[in-house]
Amino acid sequence: MDSLSQIVLGGAIAAAITPAAHRRAALLAGAALATLPDLDGLAIMAFTDNPVSLMTVHRSFSHSLFVLPLLGTLIWWLYRRFGHGRVAAAPARWWWAMVLALVTHPLLDAFTVYGTQLWWPLTPPPTMWSSVFIIDPLYTIWLLIACGIAWFARARPLAQRALVAGLVLSTGYLGWSLIAKAQVDRVAATSLAQMGLADAPRFSVPMPFNTLLWRVVAMTPQGYVVGDRSLWADHGAMQFDGYPSNVQAMRQAADVPAVRRLEWFNHGFMRAQVVGGELVLSDLRMGLEPDYNFNFAVASERDGQWQAMPPRQVQPAYRQAGNRDVLKQRLAQMWQRIWRAPVQAGAASTQ
């Protein structure tokens, strides 16, 4: 999730747990601790400039449910032993506040589609519950209001009531997102089965800033299909459009380290293209057709064979100079799509 959401979640949790007299200090401490896991990017950049490594090592050791409780305990011990008297005055409450401010960070991240390595150093594919977008105002606003009230109300009962209400409402929104996702997945499964893709690997993810409009992607032998679903406007079966992927080239380059790493990281949800003699892989989980946010040139073709090359990140078209209006147009179209079903639904395709 975005940094603001993590900051207010950590601050609200810490302030709700610690004694009322410590409330402002807890808000600041929780906010700082909740920011800490995302500083891993600075450490990773000190050791590599490989864009595939920068993407796939992020949210690993710094987001591990094995590591963060130990880190929280260490910080708690240091403050209790050498720091301010607040921690020594209420050690149990401060331990829970510090540990939970850290641990809830990766748990919240796991609700997005990026992928969070909750069990590092074990190596199952990263967790991606993919029920909220990385920025969702309806999740963050309740915590932001709660932290603001708690800051000014300090030790008064109003502060605690606001913090509890903010945590309940934001958590309830996460619960709603899982219910919405289940509804979309159910319709998608039925429609894909009618297309002969009942067993196709697939995922669903909400469109930016909301949980009413969803995108579903399913992999096919020739590429992938993409469909969208508005919980407000759509009824009946989902419609999917098919897109090609150079699956043969990706299969031939399967032993290239960057290909293996990306396939593990994104669960195989990739588009493969050959551009200028280079194999470019795009992460289908983040972006909109035809532009995806993470694209990497990972191999070059020599004498009919794919050879590993230093990975290079390729910027999507909408981020290039002169194309900024494309993103604005797509966001406007997305907003209209939430409230209106397509006038004419195209025929489903698996090509």
Side-chain angles (χ1 to χ4, degrees):
M1 291 289 285
D2 63 287
S3 296
L4 177 59
S5 296
Q6 296 288 8
I7 285 171
V8 292
L9 174 60
I13 287 174
I17 292 173
T18 53
H22 302 173
R23 188 150 286 140
R24 279 193 170 181
L27 283 167
L28 295 174
L33 288 168
T35 302
L36 194 59
D38 278 343
L39 298 182
D40 64 345
L42 299 176
I44 298 167
M45 286 190 292
F47 292 94
T48 183
D49 60 356
N50 182 326
V52 172
S53 296
L54 291 174
M55 181 181 187
T56 61
V57 178
H58 178 48
R59 294 195 188 180
S60 60
F61 61 91
S62 67
H63 287 59
S64 170
L65 296 181
F66 294 126
V67 172
L68 290 178
L70 298 177
L71 177 61
T73 300
L74 175 61
I75 295 171
W76 169 82
W77 180 82
L78 290 172
Y79 266 88
R80 186 180 182 187
R81 179 69 177 82
F82 303 106
H84 198 279
R86 293 189 186 92
V87 176
R93 287 194 180 191
W94 272 101
W95 183 85
W96 281 108
M98 290 181 172
V99 170
L100 289 178
L102 285 168
V103 168
T104 51
H105 179 118
L107 291 176
L108 181 57
D109 277 345
F111 279 89
T112 70
V113 78
Y114 185 94
T116 306
Q117 297 171 51
L118 295 178
W119 310 113
W120 185 95
L122 305 180
T123 58
T127 302
M128 49 172 231
W129 296 324
S130 62
S131 68
V132 291
F133 188 66
I134 57 171
I135 301 174
D136 193 321
L138 285 180
Y139 173 80
T140 310
I141 188 64
W142 315 113
L143 294 170
L144 183 62
I145 293 172
C147 287
I149 292 173
W151 181 264
F152 290 104
R154 298 193 182 190
R156 295 198 294 274
L158 172 63
Q160 186 71 3
R161 289 197 294 268
L163 291 167
V164 171
L167 290 166
V168 168
L169 288 170
S170 62
T171 303
Y173 185 75
L174 292 179
W176 149 253
S177 74
L178 293 174
I179 293 172
K181 180 180 176 69
Q183 293 179 19
V184 171
D185 287 344
R186 183 168 56 251
V187 176
T190 301
S191 298
L192 289 169
Q194 294 172 351
M195 298 164 58
L197 296 173
D199 298 323
R202 61 181 180 268
F203 70 91
S204 58
V205 63
M207 295 288 206
F209 317 127
N210 78 100
T211 50
L212 291 177
L213 182 62
W214 293 72
R215 185 170 66 97
V216 177
V217 177
M219 307 306 293
T220 70
Q222 300 82 26
Y224 55 98
V225 295
V226 179
D228 54 52
R229 182 76 174 181
S230 168
L231 293 176
W232 178 271
D234 291 359
H235 305 281
M238 282 188 67
Q239 301 295 321
F240 287 85
D241 294 316
Y243 300 94
S245 175
N246 198 328
V247 293
Q248 180 179 0
M250 186 161 56
R251 191 179 301 116
Q252 292 171 345
D255 291 333
V256 172
V259 176
R260 292 202 307 270
R261 181 69 176 176
L262 286 170
E263 187 170 23
W264 166 80
F265 183 76
N266 60 34
H267 300 246
F269 295 117
M270 291 189 293
R271 176 184 66 187
Q273 296 176 304
V274 176
V275 181
E278 294 180 341
L279 178 62
V280 178
L281 300 180
S282 301
D283 192 323
L284 294 174
R285 301 171 304 158
M286 289 164 280
L288 296 173
E289 192 67 33
D291 293 324
Y292 292 95
N293 294 330
F294 294 98
N295 312 279
F296 303 97
V298 295
S300 58
E301 190 174 18
R302 298 176 186 173
D303 301 324
Q305 300 292 323
W306 288 105
Q307 306 292 328
M309 57 178 279
R312 185 181 76 256
Q313 188 162 4
V314 180
Q315 293 295 332
Y318 74 83
R319 289 188 179 179
Q320 298 173 9
N323 290 336
R324 297 293 182 179
D325 289 342
V326 173
L327 180 58
K328 295 179 181 179
Q329 293 172 359
R330 290 185 177 176
L331 289 175
Q333 292 169 356
M334 180 203 74
W335 178 253
Q336 294 175 359
R337 178 66 182 87
I338 292 174
W339 313 112
R340 299 178 186 173
V343 176
Q344 293 181 343
S349 169
T350 60
Q351 300 300 313

